[in-house]
Amino acid sequence: MSERSVRMAGAAGAALPLQGLAVRAPSIRCSQTADVFGLVAASEPALRDLDLGTWCGRTVDDVAATDPDGFNAWFTDPDAVPHEGESVRQLCRRTADWLSSRAPGTGHAVAITEAAVVRAALIHALAVPARAFWHLAVPPLSAVSLTWRGGCWDVRLGHVTTPLETQRRFLSRSATLVRADSDRFASAHLGGGKRSSSFRGTISVSCG
């Protein structure tokens, strides 16, 4: 993370509510974001980024030029795996399984995670087709609040740099997925069940 990213994350961390659980994706950027937030967050493999297989570390332009058919399929077919890694649908299923595994009575939790995982969580919570994955924008330090209520997820979108009192009202009944900040968000490189009504949600911070 750059100095600017650290400053932004530090300001955002002050807006996070108290929580009973903090987890993070295994990536360095998510670890750094959790540290800046002052969270002791356990590494959670289920929150890892989309596996880009043989494309990992390559530029978007390079992949588009050398494998245009595969590149197009990746953005249009959620089952496509031209990179021999993980499909969008598999990521969505993995994320849904993690959300469903949260124990009843967990209360609020914060998860620092990747933009792709936040998109996958939204796909699951909103019950929309996986092909909508790439149409969901997840800027750095954005927050997605998920609350399990009445047999379905309530979803609210926000940003962890929202004024503190607004965040407290917002999060008092919601869980949030927050995308962690990183200047690499704009990089052209690729990669680097039933629920109990007592479950309130998860606050996840997504890495960029």
Side-chain angles (χ1 to χ4, degrees):
M1 294 174 65
S2 67
E3 291 184 8
R4 174 179 175 276
S5 295
V6 170
R7 288 196 302 270
M8 290 179 63
L16 289 173
L18 296 175
Q19 73 288 324
L21 174 69
V23 294
R24 62 170 176 81
S27 66
I28 293 175
R29 57 177 171 247
C30 286
S31 175
Q32 291 176 330
T33 302
D35 289 344
V36 174
F37 280 175
L39 297 176
V40 179
S43 179
E44 173 51 68
L47 296 177
R48 66 189 181 278
D49 206 355
L50 178 67
D51 180 4
L52 295 174
T54 58
W55 288 0
C56 188
R58 296 175 61 185
T59 66
V60 171
D61 288 344
D62 178 34
V63 172
T66 58
D67 187 8
D69 292 338
F71 190 69
N72 181 65
W74 186 48
F75 280 106
T76 57
D77 180 2
D79 293 306
V81 284
H83 42 57
E84 302 178 1
E86 183 178 31
S87 72
V88 165
R89 194 181 304 279
Q90 287 172 326
L91 170 65
C92 291
R93 186 176 301 115
R94 163 161 58 90
T95 304
D97 289 345
W98 179 79
L99 283 169
S100 298
S101 72
R102 299 301 87 209
T106 297
H108 283 108
V110 173
I112 316 296
T113 188
E114 313 287 349
V117 176
V118 177
R119 290 191 185 100
L122 284 170
I123 292 291
H124 174 66
L126 297 173
V128 297
R131 65 176 177 273
F133 180 86
W134 295 111
H135 299 284
L136 299 171
V138 183
L141 296 177
S142 56
V144 174
S145 177
L146 305 179
T147 304
W148 181 255
R149 177 171 32 226
C152 61
W153 290 102
D154 282 353
V155 178
R156 288 195 178 191
L157 307 179
H159 198 277
V160 291
T161 54
T162 300
L164 181 58
E165 291 307 313
T166 301
Q167 275 293 325
R168 282 176 175 166
R169 290 195 297 271
F170 168 42
L171 294 171
S172 63
R173 67 179 192 88
S174 301
T176 307
L177 293 114
V178 185
R179 177 183 166 179
D181 187 38
S182 168
D183 290 341
R184 288 181 60 84
F185 172 66
S187 172
H189 286 79
L190 299 170
K194 287 188 178 181
R195 303 299 306 275
S196 166
S197 59
S198 62
F199 175 80
R200 297 187 61 193
T202 301
I203 300 171
S204 302
V205 181
S206 73
C207 309

